[in-house]
Amino acid sequence: MSRDRAAEISGTGVTVDVGDATVRYLLYGLLPSWFVPGLADWLMHRRTRIEETTGTKESAVHSLMMAEVGVPIALTLRYEVNPLLLTVQLAGAAAHEATALWDVRMATRSEREVKPIEQHIHSFLESLPFGALSALMCLHADQVKSLLRGGRGSRDAWRLVPRDPPLSRAYLAGIGAAIGTCVLLPYGEELLRCLRVARRNRKRAEEIDEAEEME
């Protein structure tokens, strides 16, 4: 879309570069905002004592979903969008959605209460990947067409190509710190808490079995 056409649509008379605006939105709006519902979801798991209900199994599924989203994000921050990266992004989004359905089914069939607010938080966690991916596909329509053609005509279609220019080190460091603080640390704590309770329960069960055998 041309600057003149963008100004006509906005009705402000101010010319904008739609591509640059979308990239800024993805980098400084959508991606950072992703951490908020993720942290809120962890708080809901903690309040409903996940370690005493679905325990390690559900927490491990949460870690799986983080990987399904995290790997495509990490690659997108370092490499150019091409058919290979689009394939990884699409596969990650599809796998994340399937795993999210498995996760909710597991939780609702357990003793853990999944409150309406937690389900609403899930709606953000499920929709944000598709929002980001659809915006990227609009920005790189030529690469989408190349993917539909199987990458024919492009020698770089099926290899990772470093960004040129790369994102700033300050931005990558900031995102890395946010991921560590809002994702790795809380969900790592959740998994360790579940493992600790599972070990305690196994030990108690073994003690009960031993006591029964002695009677």
Side-chain angles (χ1 to χ4, degrees), residues 20 22 78 109-110 144 148 203:
D20 287 346
T22 303
R78 296 298 302 273
R109 292 180 177 178
S110 72
V144 175
L148 294 175
K203 185 176 180 180

Side-chain angles (χ1 to χ4, degrees), residues 36-53:
V36 177
L39 194 57
D41 198 37
W42 169 77
L43 287 171
M44 294 303 302
H45 301 160
R46 189 176 181 85
R47 286 184 61 183
T48 54
R49 301 186 63 80
I50 185 176
E51 67 275 13
E52 301 287 354
T53 53

Side-chain angles (χ1 to χ4, degrees), residues 109-122:
R109 292 180 177 178
S110 72
E111 296 178 0
R112 188 169 79 82
E113 181 184 5
V114 182
K115 298 183 178 181
I117 187 171
E118 182 177 344
Q119 296 184 31
H120 191 57
I121 291 169
H122 289 170

